[in-house]
Amino acid sequence: MDFRVLGPVEVLDRRTGTYAAPSGAKQRALLGALVVRAGQVLPAERLIHELWGDRPPPGAANALHAHVARLRRLLRRAAGEDWISTRATGYTLGRPAARTDAHRFQDLSSKGRGTLAADPVRGAQLLGDALALWRGPALAGSGQGPLCAREAERLEELRLTTLETLYEARLRSGRHAEAARELERLTARHPVRERLYDLLMLALYRCGRQAEALGVYERARRRLVDELGVEPGPALRGRMEAILHHAPSLSAPDPDATLHELGGAIARLGLRIETLAREQQELIRRLEGLTSGVTGQGPPVEGGHLLEQGADVEG
């Protein structure tokens, strides 16, 4: 079974490809909390607070027990087995390694960041695959309890960071005009994300639109001052100064130069492998020669008779 939290919480039976989702807000909040803390026992009091906040209804413990029973039946129908375990102090989703789309998102995002410098095209593909797992806001419809709210906030920040890294990869791949168009939209949607403004300024500059890039800085400064009461940070100010002075660091990487460097590294690696192979063969020949020399000598002989190991010659 897969648990999906990058959007409304639901479960997927991988054997049949069928989905199941809790029908009510309390059921969604309960499942979301159990998935977020999979493998850990959640005390009943904490789950009650997650579902009803600071004003639980009379008989909240019995109501929680009823919600758990309904959710247990849902998961049993979806997977044919019991996923929720009852403990003395609370409940647990009994498998700490429960698969979630959030885990896959983080894994693909990490691989994309790791590939970015050496292969930005591959890095962009991995980052795009990670973002494609999202179906809406994380844990949508699971209420505003502290467990689900904190996890949703954490995942949303990771999503935005991954999105920013995706556009960095596209700029490294030479897709400046495309990136500029999409970053215009993203800065409007996320008006206080300085990294998005920074990437947009770089994309515009590489498209030969220096004045527009400087205009983006002024727009970012106004939004940050109006909404947060702060000036742009050093990274954004540094980008503005670099654009004013046409800093060489702003130039797009040369794909041909990168390929040439990669080809040279591959060639050097091939020569090294050939050298190691020759050295290995020479070592094998020497070992074979030593072995055959020892074998050819045979046991020692005295007066036409073979001497036994440890025999007394004088006697």
Side-chain angles (χ1 to χ4, degrees):
M1 183 186 291
D2 281 351
F3 293 89
R4 308 215 303 173
V5 297
L6 302 180
V9 62
E10 62 184 18
V11 295
L12 165 65
D13 184 348
R14 294 194 305 275
R15 297 167 302 178
T16 62
T18 57
Y19 293 91
S23 57
K26 293 291 187 291
Q27 292 277 297
R28 290 193 295 271
L30 177 60
L31 179 57
L34 289 170
V35 171
V36 167
R37 291 290 186 268
Q40 302 176 25
V41 176
L42 283 174
E45 293 79 7
R46 193 169 186 185
L47 287 171
I48 288 172
H49 183 66
E50 185 75 15
L51 270 61
W52 289 285
D54 295 330
R55 295 184 176 180
N62 290 333
L64 173 64
H65 181 75
H67 281 302
V68 169
R70 284 195 290 271
L71 185 59
R72 183 179 276 130
R73 287 195 295 270
L74 172 71
L75 297 181
R76 192 181 294 122
R77 286 197 303 270
E81 56 184 301
D82 217 344
W83 276 75
I84 299 176
S85 301
T86 303
R87 299 289 183 258
T89 58
Y91 304 93
T92 179
L93 192 71
R95 303 187 182 187
R99 289 165 51 102
T100 71
D101 52 358
H103 293 146
R104 288 192 293 279
F105 163 71
Q106 292 173 88
D107 182 55
L108 286 168
S109 179
S110 177
K111 289 178 180 177
R113 290 193 303 271
T115 310
L116 182 62
D119 189 349
V121 174
R122 175 60 177 161
Q125 180 182 345
L126 289 168
L127 293 164
D129 290 345
L131 291 164
L133 293 172
W134 285 71
R135 299 167 289 112
L139 292 157
S142 294
Q144 297 299 314
L147 283 175
C148 289
R150 280 198 297 269
E151 181 66 3
E153 183 179 355
R154 184 187 73 86
L155 290 170
E156 175 62 12
E157 179 59 30
L158 286 175
R159 185 186 74 83
L160 289 174
T161 301
T162 299
L163 188 64
E164 291 165 348
T165 310
L166 170 64
Y167 283 96
E168 179 184 349
R170 289 181 177 175
L171 287 175
R172 287 176 180 243
S173 305
R175 299 163 64 179
H176 316 308
E178 173 190 342
R181 287 192 301 271
E182 296 174 1
L183 285 165
E184 286 281 9
R185 174 179 53 83
L186 288 170
T187 52
R189 183 178 299 174
H190 305 283
V192 295
R193 298 287 298 194
E194 291 192 49
R195 180 60 175 149
L196 291 175
Y197 288 116
D198 177 61
L199 292 167
L200 176 56
M201 291 168 66
L202 180 59
L204 290 170
Y205 180 83
R206 288 182 177 174
C207 291
R209 299 157 65 182
Q210 181 190 15
E212 292 177 66
L214 294 173
V216 168
Y217 177 83
E218 289 302 320
R219 187 173 83 214
R221 180 182 177 278
R222 287 194 300 271
R223 294 303 295 265
L224 291 168
V225 170
D226 290 345
E227 298 197 20
L228 301 179
V230 298
E231 293 283 339
L236 203 56
R237 293 198 304 271
R239 182 73 77 192
M240 184 267 292
E241 292 288 341
I243 289 173
L244 279 172
H245 297 95
H246 298 279
S249 60
L250 298 175
S251 300
D254 183 355
D256 293 334
T258 303
L259 288 174
H260 179 73
E261 293 174 3
L262 180 60
I266 292 173
R268 289 191 296 273
L269 179 61
L271 290 173
R272 180 59 179 157
I273 291 172
E274 291 177 3
T275 301
L276 290 172
R278 288 196 297 270
E279 292 175 354
Q280 183 185 38
Q281 290 298 321
E282 179 62 24
L283 180 60
I284 291 172
R285 283 195 294 271
R286 290 182 182 181
L287 289 172
E288 289 175 346
L290 290 171
T291 303
S292 62
V294 171
T295 305
Q297 290 178 3
V301 178
E302 177 68 25
H305 299 282
L306 293 177
L307 288 178
E308 295 181 357
Q309 184 72 23
D312 185 353
V313 177
E314 297 295 328

